[in-house]
Amino acid sequence: MKIESVQTVVVNAKLRNWVFVKVTADDGTIGWGEASLEWQARAVAGAVADLTPILLGQDPRRIEHLWQAMYRDHFFKGGVVTMSAISGVDQALWDLKARHLGVPAYELLGGAVRDTLRMYDHLGGGDSAAVYGDASIEGFGAAARRAVDDGFTALKILAVPSGGGLPSNADLAGAAALMATVREAVGDDVDIMVDLHGRTTAAGALAYGRALAEFRPWFFEEPCAPGNPRELAEVARALPFPVATGERLIALTEFREHLAQGACAVLQPDICHVGGPTGLKKIAAFAESHEIPLAPHNPLGPIATAVNQHVAFATPGVIIQEVMRSDVPWRDDVVTGTFPIVGGEIGIPDGPGWGIEVDEEAAALHPYVPELQITTRNRDGSVADW
């Protein structure tokens, strides 16, 4: 068996372009992966094309060998664009091999370690206007209640405004009001995660933590911008609830440093940026050695969701999985066979590979469109983190 072609299929999904990767073997077996990266879809597609000469003519079943070749054959290693491309190819190779053998992918990844997987929702089910729009009390409670009515027992909110490293009293009061509204809407038994999106300094994160502590966040996600694990560790030690991070960490060494510093209680690697299942399993082993659980990051498309679900069923440290289920209304037209979420959980996946199929004709109805540019500014006009 040899790799005959490596292709990308880019699908516009409003805020994001999904970058699907299709690997085809000479016997006709195919595998699908996802390498989506906001605002850099064309760069990732180009990176996949740059990796293709390494792959053509190779045995697709030698997954670790090909991962090493993609990562090490070129002199400059890593970077989010290259690692996203490697991630998409790696996912496709696991899918292809599992389809070739006629087994679900989680069986190749070690077999099931659990019977069900808990999923968590976003406001509006992942609609970008609800998740990333201007925070306002109006609609927050109703959107959160809809998630609970749909069976979810956990949801994530972005309750902290962008702009400024230190929150004003009005910022703190506004975030507390939003959190109070959501807590009142969903009750005490629903776990609420608060995403700070790396918008604040360590001092700002602590201020928000004190303001929101009474509403019992399940964890604070990315309270500081990535790149300074010592600062994040100070926040993690000072807050009375867990800190999570990892969605913008790429290299294995970055995760190693965060674990060594005690910078978080939960790791959130993104399978579309850390090297696919091959990379994520290595991170999971690191985390297990530190007794740190995983809540993998996944605001992306349906292939990434299926991949995360299979990996979670084969990885003991995963405690919950993120899903964007309503980002675009035609999501299930493009990718079929996705796993139904019942009572906020899914059962063990079925079918060979990832268990999903891509309708390329449906995908072609939503060709690449440049993502909406988000220009986040402070009150004085200076640039702020999104």
Side-chain angles (χ1 to χ4, degrees):
M1 177 183 281
K2 304 295 182 184
I3 295 175
E4 189 173 74
S5 68
V6 180
Q7 302 166 283
T8 53
V9 176
V10 181
V11 182
N12 180 255
K14 295 173 65 175
L15 183 63
R16 296 174 173 87
N17 280 286
W18 299 331
V19 181
F20 296 161
V21 179
K22 179 183 181 183
V23 176
T24 305
D26 56 4
D27 68 349
T29 308
I30 64 169
W32 286 97
E34 183 171 341
S36 303
L37 179 63
E38 298 96 329
W39 298 293
Q40 300 187 67
R42 289 173 292 184
V44 172
V48 172
D50 288 338
L51 293 171
T52 296
I54 297 172
L55 301 164
L56 292 179
Q58 299 298 312
D59 186 338
R61 296 167 294 188
R62 299 181 67 189
I63 298 173
E64 178 66 40
H65 175 73
L66 292 177
W67 195 99
Q68 294 290 331
M70 289 188 289
Y71 185 74
R72 298 168 66 182
D73 275 355
H74 293 162
F75 183 67
F76 287 96
K77 299 176 176 64
V80 68
V81 171
T82 299
M83 289 304 293
S84 297
I86 291 174
S87 299
V89 173
D90 184 74
Q91 294 171 34
L93 294 176
W94 282 103
D95 188 35
L96 191 154
K97 184 172 183 176
R99 288 174 187 252
H100 175 69
L101 296 173
V103 299
Y106 74 84
E107 293 283 12
L108 298 187
L109 293 162
V113 299
R114 54 176 51 85
D115 299 322
T116 60
L117 173 65
R118 189 185 188 199
M119 308 293 293
Y120 75 82
D121 200 20
H122 288 261
L123 289 178
D127 176 76
S128 58
V131 177
Y132 301 109
D134 291 335
S136 62
I137 294 176
E138 184 179 358
F140 250 61
R145 187 67 230 173
R146 283 195 298 273
V148 175
D149 290 342
D150 288 342
F152 286 91
T153 60
L155 67 135
K156 186 162 73 180
I157 65 172
L158 188 60
V160 173
S162 61
L166 288 174
S168 66
N169 286 334
D171 291 333
L172 296 173
L178 288 171
M179 186 70 169
T181 298
V182 173
R183 175 56 75 196
E184 182 178 358
V186 303
D188 291 335
D189 295 332
V190 173
D191 291 319
I192 304 172
M193 293 150 277
V194 178
D195 187 357
L196 277 73
H197 235 230
R199 292 173 170 176
T200 65
T201 62
L206 291 174
Y208 277 118
R210 288 189 288 268
L212 302 184
E214 65 177 294
F215 306 109
R216 302 172 303 286
W218 200 42
F219 61 63
F220 250 27
E221 177 176 321
E222 219 178 18
C224 306
N228 194 337
R230 290 187 180 180
E231 180 182 68
L232 185 60
E234 293 177 5
V235 175
R237 283 190 287 268
L239 291 177
F241 44 77
V243 161
T245 196
E247 69 181 70
R248 286 190 277 179
L249 304 181
I250 307 301
L252 198 59
T253 51
E254 293 177 306
F255 287 93
R256 181 182 67 191
E257 181 66 14
H258 279 69
L259 290 168
Q261 294 286 344
C264 61
V266 181
L267 270 186
Q268 298 177 289
D270 191 312
I271 208 160
C272 288
H273 308 318
V274 298
T278 300
L280 196 143
K281 291 289 279 185
K282 296 173 184 180
I283 294 164
F286 258 155
E288 185 175 1
S289 73
H290 286 75
E291 298 183 345
I292 297 294
L294 304 177
H297 180 250
N298 176 47
L300 303 174
I303 296 180
T305 299
V307 174
N308 271 299
Q309 290 166 332
H310 274 265
V311 173
F313 270 102
T315 305
V318 175
I319 55 173
I320 199 165
Q321 178 59 58
E322 179 177 14
V323 62
M324 289 282 199
R325 60 191 177 104
S326 302
D327 44 5
V328 286
W330 41 263
R331 184 181 179 100
D332 293 335
D333 296 337
V334 173
V335 175
T336 58
T338 55
F339 317 119
I341 302 172
V342 180
E345 298 178 335
I346 67 165
I348 296 177
D350 197 5
W354 304 130
I356 51 93
E357 298 294 337
V358 178
D359 186 330
E360 294 188 62
E361 291 186 1
L365 298 176
H366 308 281
Y368 170 82
V369 175
E371 294 94 336
L372 174 68
Q373 290 299 308
I374 297 178
T375 52
T376 308
R377 299 292 182 264
N378 293 314
R379 293 184 183 93
D380 63 2
S382 59
V383 177
D385 287 315
W386 176 46

